[in-house]
Amino acid sequence: MRNILSALVTMLTVIASAAAQERTEVIMLENEKWWGSVTDLGKYMPFDSESQFRFNHQTQNFNNQTTPLLVSNMGRYIWSDSPLKVEISDGKIIIDAARGTVECVEAGSTLREAFMAAAAAHFPASGTVPPDLFFSVPQYNTWIELIYNQSQEDILKYAHSIVDNGFPTGILMIDDNWQKYYGNFEFRPDRFPDPKGMIDELHALGFKVMLWVCPFVSPDSQEFRWLREKDYLVKTADGSRPAILDWWNGLSACYDLSNPEAFEYYRSILVKMQEEFGVDGFKFDAGDPERYQAKDIMPYDGKSFDTEQTELWAKLGLLFPYNEFRACWKMGGEALVQRLGDKEYSWDGVVRLVPSMIAAGLLGHPYTCPDMIGGGQFGSFLNIDQDKFDQSLIVRSCQIHSMMPMMQFSVAPWRVLSAENLEIVKQMAILHAKFAPYIMQYAHHAAKTGEPIVRCMEYQYPHQGMEMIKDQFMLGDKYLVAPMTTPGTERTVVLPKGTWRDEQGKRYRGGKTYTIQVPLARLPYFELVK
C-alpha cells in the first residue's frame, strides 16, 4: 500500500511540474504525523489525519519563520522551492505551489531520516556557527523596558542594572526608535548626546551591542526622496512610483533588495554604523512576506516579490555575524540567529515555546531563541501590581529558556519579581552558562549536519509512541528536559528506555512514565547515563 501511495505522489509531482498552479494531493499513511512549514504553528504539530488547517506562505507567516517543507515520522518529506498554499484536511495534504514543482520524497522510515534527507537536498548546513556569545550567556533586549522611548540614559541604566543584579553580561540589543525615523540611520540627538560614548561604555561593561533595523523608509523624508531617485524602493504594481506598504508602525516605503545596488547600499550603511560607532551587529526586524504582495508591488527584477524579498533580507543579515531574525523565508542551514515571534504574557505563550522551538529546528533553524522571557508584548508589563502579577509565569518561561540554545531577557526581572523569584531566575541564567560548552558542541554539530539542537521525542526516539509529546524535549542526544509549561507544581515525564539521572541525582529506569513534583524553583532535566 505504501509503495502504491508513493507512486501516486510521484505521478502528482510530475503533473505539478507541467503546470505551476497544478494541485498536489498527498494522502497520509496510517499513523503518519507531519511537522513543518510554519514555525509558530508548532503548538498544533504534529499534523495528522484529524488536523484541519489552511495557510498560505505568501500571505501568512504567523509572525515567524516559514519554509516550504513538511516532514513526517514515516520518513517522507514534501518540498517546493516556491511558496505553498496548504490545506490539511481529512487525512490529506493538499498543496498549490505558487511556482514550479512540488516534491514528495520517501527518504526513509523516521522523522530524522526525512529531515536529514530534505536538509541535504535543499538547505545543506553551511559549516558556519553564529558567535559563541549567543549561546554561552543571556541576551538582553531593551524593548519591554523602554518600548519606543529608547535613550542613552535609560539604556545605560538598564545595562548597569544587569551587572548590579548579578546577571552575566552578554549581547545587548537596542530596539526600535533609536533613530530619527525609518530609513534614517542617525541616533536621535535629543536622546543620544554621545552614542559612541554609550557604546564604548557598554563594551567596557562586557556587552556586545546590536541595533534594531528594518527595511522601511518614512515617506517624503530626505532619504525617501533620494532612494526614489536612485530606484532603490519597491514600486507600485504598475511601476509608476514607490509603493507605500502597511506594517505595524504605519505606512512606509520599502527598500527593494532585488536591486543589487540597493542591497549594496543598505549593506554599506550598516558597515558605516559599525565603523563610526562600534556597533557589533543588527536585529533585522520586519521583512514579513505578507508586506510584499504581488498585487501591490513591482520589484526591480520583476519577480522578487513576497517571500523572495524576505529571503533577500536574511541574505543581507547573513553578512553580519551578530544578527537576529524573527521573520524568515527558507535560509535553513545558515548561520542566522532566529527568534520565536512575540508571545503574549500568558500560559498559552509559555506552552507554545517548546513545540515552536521544535518546529524551528525541523525547518533548518537550529540557532533559535525562544522569544523574550515572559513574552514580547509590552502592554503586559506596564503599571505592574506585584500582588496581582503572576510571577511564576516569568520563572517558568525563564526555566525553559535556560536549557535552550539561547535565552533572552527584555523585561527586567529585578523590576517585576520578588527577591526570592529573582534569585531563581538568576540561577537559571547561571545554569545556561554552565551548559554552554555542551550547547556549543551541538551548535557546531548543527553547522556540519544541519541537525536540530532542540529535538522532539519522536526525532530522537522514533516509533516508540512519543510523537505527540509537546512539553518535554531532548537537548542534543544526552539531556531530556521536562519544564513546567502550565500552572502548578506537578507533571508527568515519559523517559525512553535506558538509565536516567535527574538534576537532583536521582536515578530512573526508562521505558516508563513518572509523575514528579516540580516546585517553582525546580527545572527537571534528566541525563542519559546508560
Side-chain angles (χ1 to χ4, degrees):
M1 180 64 178
R2 181 172 181 138
N3 290 334
I4 294 173
L5 290 173
S6 180
L8 174 62
V9 168
T10 301
M11 178 182 70
L12 287 167
T13 301
V14 172
I15 293 173
S17 63
Q21 296 298 322
E22 190 69 34
R23 175 162 291 188
T24 301
E25 185 175 290
V26 177
I27 301 171
M28 293 186 187
L29 306 175
E30 185 177 359
N31 297 321
E32 189 168 28
K33 316 291 182 186
W34 292 83
W35 289 257
S37 202
V38 181
T39 296
D40 201 43
L41 291 182
K43 177 184 175 181
Y44 305 101
M45 298 175 197
F47 305 122
D48 59 17
S49 59
E50 302 298 319
S51 300
Q52 303 284 330
F53 273 99
R54 290 182 177 87
F55 50 86
N56 183 343
H57 288 145
Q58 290 177 287
T59 59
Q60 299 168 286
N61 73 330
F62 297 89
N63 201 40
N64 242 161
Q65 303 83 17
T66 50
T67 299
L69 170 71
L70 286 158
V71 287
S72 109
N73 65 330
M74 298 295 186
R76 297 199 293 172
Y77 75 81
I78 298 168
W79 173 269
S80 171
D81 285 322
S82 76
L84 300 177
K85 184 183 293 183
V86 178
E87 179 181 349
I88 301 173
S89 178
D90 302 322
K92 299 176 183 178
I93 303 175
I94 302 168
I95 300 170
D96 293 306
R99 300 172 285 280
T101 64
V102 175
E103 303 175 48
C104 184
V105 177
E106 189 169 341
S109 60
T110 67
L111 177 62
R112 189 178 207 156
E113 289 172 328
F115 171 80
M116 294 297 285
H122 300 289
F123 45 95
S126 70
T128 304
V129 183
D132 290 6
L133 205 62
F134 279 107
F135 306 95
S136 59
V137 287
Q139 305 159 24
Y140 302 89
N141 188 295
T142 63
W143 170 242
I144 295 295
E145 290 302 298
L146 305 184
I147 317 174
Y148 292 109
N149 298 311
Q150 306 291 319
S151 72
Q152 179 170 332
E153 179 182 359
D154 289 335
I155 289 167
L156 289 173
K157 180 179 178 182
Y158 181 61
H160 279 281
S161 294
I162 293 167
V163 176
D164 293 345
N165 282 280
F167 282 77
T169 57
I171 295 169
L172 190 143
M173 301 179 187
I174 298 173
D175 217 275
D176 188 7
N177 212 29
W178 58 269
Q179 71 283 52
K180 290 182 178 180
Y181 45 83
Y182 301 116
N184 175 270
F185 290 85
E186 300 172 85
F187 283 92
R188 292 181 55 171
D190 58 328
R191 293 180 177 270
F192 295 88
D194 182 13
K196 177 65 165 62
M198 174 190 71
I199 292 173
D200 287 346
E201 185 171 343
L202 292 171
H203 284 159
L205 287 171
F207 294 99
K208 293 289 187 180
V209 181
M210 295 172 62
L211 285 181
W212 182 98
V213 295
C214 73
F216 295 109
V217 180
S218 295
D220 203 30
S221 62
Q222 177 180 334
E223 287 79 4
F224 170 85
R225 290 188 288 273
W226 187 86
L227 293 167
R228 177 178 184 170
E229 182 179 334
K230 299 291 288 186
D231 203 19
Y232 288 177
L233 301 171
V234 293
K235 294 182 178 179
T236 55
D238 63 5
S240 63
R241 58 181 174 77
I244 303 300
L245 306 182
D246 191 0
W247 65 300
W248 67 80
N249 275 340
L251 299 169
S252 300
C254 187
Y255 269 85
D256 185 348
L257 298 176
S258 73
N259 182 338
E261 291 186 8
F263 185 100
E264 173 56 27
Y265 178 69
Y266 203 119
R267 185 199 69 83
S268 70
I269 292 174
L270 300 184
V271 170
K272 182 180 178 182
M273 295 296 294
Q274 292 185 307
E275 293 172 346
E276 184 175 354
F277 299 105
V279 175
D280 297 291
F282 302 93
K283 171 181 174 175
F284 292 85
D285 206 358
D288 303 81
E290 59 260 38
R291 310 297 173 191
Y292 310 97
Q293 292 300 293
K295 64 182 177 60
D296 299 325
I297 70 168
M298 172 61 70
Y300 178 84
D301 66 0
K303 61 181 180 181
S304 294
F305 45 84
D306 55 64
T307 50
E308 281 79 8
Q309 287 283 337
T310 304
E311 188 174 2
L312 287 164
W313 184 232
K315 287 180 177 178
L316 176 63
L318 193 58
L319 301 176
F320 300 87
Y322 283 92
N323 63 66
E324 187 202 70
F325 286 82
R326 172 199 49 77
C328 198
W329 169 250
K330 296 199 291 190
M331 296 297 287
E334 300 289 354
L336 293 171
V337 174
Q338 305 287 346
R339 180 175 62 82
L340 298 186
D342 297 356
K343 305 289 185 292
E344 296 285 346
Y345 181 78
S346 66
W347 286 104
D348 179 70
V350 174
V351 82
R352 286 175 176 268
L353 295 179
V354 172
S356 290
M357 285 292 292
I358 288 168
L362 290 173
L363 292 180
H365 299 303
Y367 314 126
T368 301
C369 180
D371 192 19
M372 302 168 185
I373 291 168
Q377 299 293 338
F378 69 85
S380 301
F381 302 102
L382 298 176
N383 304 315
I384 286 175
D385 181 344
Q386 280 204 359
D387 293 333
K388 299 179 181 178
F389 185 71
D390 187 357
Q391 296 187 25
S392 67
L393 197 151
I394 289 278
V395 173
R396 296 306 195 190
S397 175
C398 185
Q399 288 170 341
I400 295 170
H401 276 244
S402 70
M403 293 290 277
M404 290 289 183
M406 304 176 189
M407 66 186 306
Q408 185 175 127
F409 289 97
S410 190
V411 64
W414 48 88
R415 176 170 70 87
V416 299
L417 298 180
S418 66
E420 180 182 2
N421 289 336
L422 178 62
E423 183 59 28
I424 297 172
V425 167
K426 187 190 306 182
Q427 290 305 314
M428 290 300 101
I430 293 170
L431 177 68
H432 181 78
K434 174 185 173 183
F435 268 85
Y438 177 82
I439 293 170
M440 282 304 307
Q441 173 188 338
Y442 282 91
H444 284 281
H445 177 75
K448 295 177 182 178
T449 66
E451 282 208 272
I453 301 171
V454 173
R455 304 169 183 176
C456 66
M457 301 305 298
E458 178 67 17
Y459 186 96
Q460 194 72 18
Y461 296 96
H463 308 308
Q464 296 184 32
M466 290 183 278
E467 65 271 12
M468 299 306 295
I469 295 176
K470 306 180 185 185
D471 63 350
Q472 64 182 61
F473 62 93
M474 293 298 299
L475 181 65
D477 296 306
K478 190 177 181 181
Y479 289 97
L480 186 156
V481 186
M484 288 297 301
T485 63
T486 56
T489 56
E490 182 179 276
R491 64 157 294 159
T492 59
V493 180
V494 180
L495 295 180
K497 293 178 181 178
T499 301
W500 299 83
R501 181 174 56 223
D502 71 13
E503 83 289 354
Q504 298 174 336
K506 182 179 178 180
R507 285 181 174 251
Y508 295 79
R509 182 163 59 88
K512 298 177 64 177
T513 299
Y514 293 89
T515 298
I516 61 173
Q517 298 303 310
V518 191
L520 189 58
R522 184 184 182 194
L523 168 64
Y525 59 89
F526 301 79
E527 180 183 1
L528 181 61
V529 294
K530 185 178 180 182

